[in-house]
Structure formats: structure tokens, C-alpha cells
Amino acid sequence: MQVLSKETHFRFMARRKLAAIVSAVLIIASIAAIAVRGLNFGIEFTGGVELEAGYDRTVDVAAVRQQLADAGYIDADVLYFGTQQNVMIRIPPQEGSDGTELRDELLDLLSADGDDVEARSFSVVFPQIGAEVAEAGSLAMMFVLIMIFIYIMFRFQWKFSAGAVAALVHDVILTVGFFAVFQFQVDASVIAAVLAVVGYSLNDTVVVFDRIRENFLSTRGETSAEVIDRSINQMLARTIITGVTTLLVLAALLVLGGEAVRSFSVALIVGIVVGTYSSIYVASAVALYFNVTAKDLLPPEPDPDEIDEMP
């Protein structure tokens, strides 16, 4: 930690054009992947059935998946749920199948080898419910971005608001684009993870902005780029330590948490990496692009007419 505690002097803003090119390429690639490959939606969005089955022994999910595939359920998703004696089975919509009949068929199939299998829970998700979930997630994201813009504008200045919102849009697009490229399943937990990434990235951005404001108001004779660089360098140790410790926890969750939290962990890991990058090279660079200066942060001068009217 001694190395991190020393003040660095990196010229981040000198490389903002290169960073802008990299970000633009990644955003275009992400949008193209979303448009061409699409997202691998879970049953929360596509509809289907979900069965939690309890065994009287430790079960191999690969064997269960193969057992279902042999019976014609090719797209079945099987993962451990809680313990290795419980599995969660998710199957896309089945034409002409009643929910109760399908549950009984699955239980009969899973018990075919003599296992004692119990249905712990069973639910049917209809496609229209999935559409409502997707719409609610999109509206939540738009509402968050609008409120963040207003909050940053009142706390700092609109140029900082533009930078913060640009960074958050950047983070969301790259995270979703990563899921489109590698076809990780997108379920409700991924939406929650993306919203968590927005909060994490915003927190890091606000901390940097707060230091930029302090340095703008207490420094004379430096350009805006120099003030921003100095502010980022002063907060760099905090940014690195916070990011690394969070990633260590998420890496443990990804390795040890099983399939149930895999997509959630991946979304957070990708989001934190791009969020740390964007708080430096997107949020601050956009504010600098709009030519933010110390004058923007000074309180407004009182109106002379109002001063004359004062008793």
C-alpha cells in the first residue's frame, strides 16, 4: 500500500482523445453485438416453466441436463439451487403443455432411474410478464439517469452532469454488450447488477468530481486539464483499492457461488472494471470537453438591483 499512498502525476487528460476512440469503438461493437447476436434472455423475459427439484442424494447437473435433452428438452437450463441435492430447472415455453401436466412429466422423467425426486416449487412464467419485466427495467434505467443528471447538476454544475450521465450510459452499454458477445444469460439478477453498477460508478465519479471542485476553488494558475489530472491522481489510490477489493469479493462469488449467481457476478465484475475506467476517462473528459472552469463552480453574483432594494 505504500506505493499507492505516494502521489502520482499521470497526465490522464492528455490521453482523453485516445480514450474517446477506444470507448467509441467498444460502444459501436457492443451495439452491433446486441443488434446482430441479441441477448440470451432467461425465462423471466421469454416465458417458460421453472421447477425446483429436491433429490435424496447429491446430483450431477450435467447428468440431469443430458437426461432432459434425451427426452426432448434441448434448451433446458439446470443449475444447483442452495445445495447439491437441489436443482433449479428452467425450460422454455412448451406448446400445448399444461403447467400441471408438465410438472408431472418432469418429475416422472427425473425419477425414472429410481431417484426419489420431490417438487419443492413450480412456477409458470408467461411471455407477457417477461415483456413487463423488460419494460420496467428500461424505465427504471431511464429514471435513474434523469435523476442522476438533476442531482449532479444541483450539487456541482450541468457540465459535470453531462459527464456523469455519459459515463453511466457508457458503462451500461458496454456491460450489456459483453453479455451479447459471450451470450451469458440475462435474467432479473443481471438487471439488478447493472443498476448496482450504475450506483458504484456514480459514487466513484462523484468522489472525483468533489475533489475537482475543491482544487478548482483553491488553485490558481493551472489549466482545467491540469486541475482535473491532479484531482484524479489524488483519488487514484482510493479508486484502485476500492475496485480491487470489490473485485476480489466478486471473483470469490463467481468461483464459489455456482451457476445461480454466475450472470450476476459477471455483470458486476464487467461493470466495475468499465465503471472505474469511465469515472476517469469519460466523466471527467466530457466535463473538460464542455470547458469546465473554476468560474462554473463559483456562486452566482448577487443582482445589483436586489442589493439596492435591501434595507
Side-chain angles (χ1 to χ4, degrees), residues 13-303:
M13 292 301 99
R15 300 174 180 83
R16 65 183 183 276
K17 292 183 179 179
L18 175 61
I21 294 173
V22 172
S23 293
V25 170
L26 291 176
I27 288 174
I28 292 172
S30 296
I31 294 175
I34 295 170
V36 175
R37 303 198 64 182
L39 295 172
N40 178 22
F41 288 111
I43 67 167
E44 290 94 336
F45 300 99
T46 62
V49 298
E50 187 175 77
L51 170 67
E52 181 189 348
Y55 283 73
D56 58 351
R57 62 174 178 85
T58 299
V59 63
D60 181 6
V61 292
V64 175
R65 193 177 293 112
Q66 185 60 47
Q67 189 178 11
L68 292 169
D70 293 340
Y73 301 105
I74 300 175
D75 296 327
D77 185 21
V78 184
L79 47 87
Y80 288 120
F81 191 78
T83 70
Q84 293 187 344
Q85 291 183 317
N86 292 337
V87 294
M88 180 66 72
I89 300 172
R90 293 170 174 169
I91 298 177
Q94 302 295 311
E95 294 268 336
S97 295
D98 177 75
T100 303
E101 294 178 358
L102 183 57
R103 179 194 61 189
D104 294 338
E105 290 176 7
L106 291 173
L107 289 176
D108 291 340
L109 175 62
L110 298 175
S111 304
D113 294 334
D115 292 317
D116 184 13
V117 183
E118 175 187 0
R120 301 286 172 81
S121 67
F122 181 80
S123 60
V124 179
V125 180
F126 296 98
Q128 58 265 32
I129 297 177
E132 292 175 2
V133 173
E135 181 181 357
S138 301
L139 290 175
M141 185 62 62
M142 292 176 59
F143 178 77
V144 166
L145 293 176
I146 292 172
M147 295 305 295
I148 286 172
F149 185 91
I150 296 173
Y151 165 73
I152 299 295
M153 183 174 63
F154 277 100
R155 179 167 177 178
F156 297 97
Q157 208 262 352
W158 73 266
K159 296 176 183 179
F160 287 105
S161 292
V165 171
L168 296 181
V169 171
H170 169 275
D171 299 343
V172 171
I173 292 176
L174 292 193
T175 303
V176 175
F178 183 90
F179 272 71
V181 170
F182 294 98
Q183 289 295 292
F184 287 108
Q185 189 176 87
V186 176
D187 52 25
S189 68
V190 173
I191 302 300
V194 171
L195 291 174
V197 165
V198 168
Y200 179 94
S201 178
L202 177 65
N203 176 70
D204 201 25
T205 300
V206 167
V207 169
V208 173
F209 281 174
D210 202 46
R211 181 55 59 91
I212 291 173
R213 177 173 59 182
E214 290 178 6
N215 288 334
F216 263 133
L217 298 178
S218 62
T219 303
R220 297 292 183 270
E222 287 186 339
T223 64
S224 296
E226 290 172 342
V227 172
I228 292 175
D229 279 340
R230 185 156 60 87
S231 302
I232 295 174
N233 277 288
Q234 289 172 351
M235 304 308 300
L236 189 60
R238 174 209 175 269
T239 300
I240 293 175
I241 293 172
T242 303
V244 169
T245 53
T246 306
L247 288 174
L248 288 175
V249 174
L250 291 174
L253 187 63
L254 177 63
V255 174
L256 303 176
E259 289 291 328
V261 295
R262 183 187 180 199
S263 295
F264 177 79
S265 304
V266 170
L268 281 177
I269 289 173
V270 174
I272 286 174
V273 171
V274 299
T276 301
Y277 163 84
S278 68
S279 65
I280 296 174
Y281 279 114
V282 178
S284 301
V286 169
L288 183 60
Y289 172 79
F290 286 113
N291 196 29
V292 64
T293 63
K295 185 178 180 181
D296 295 321
L297 300 170
L298 294 174
E301 296 181 359
D303 189 344

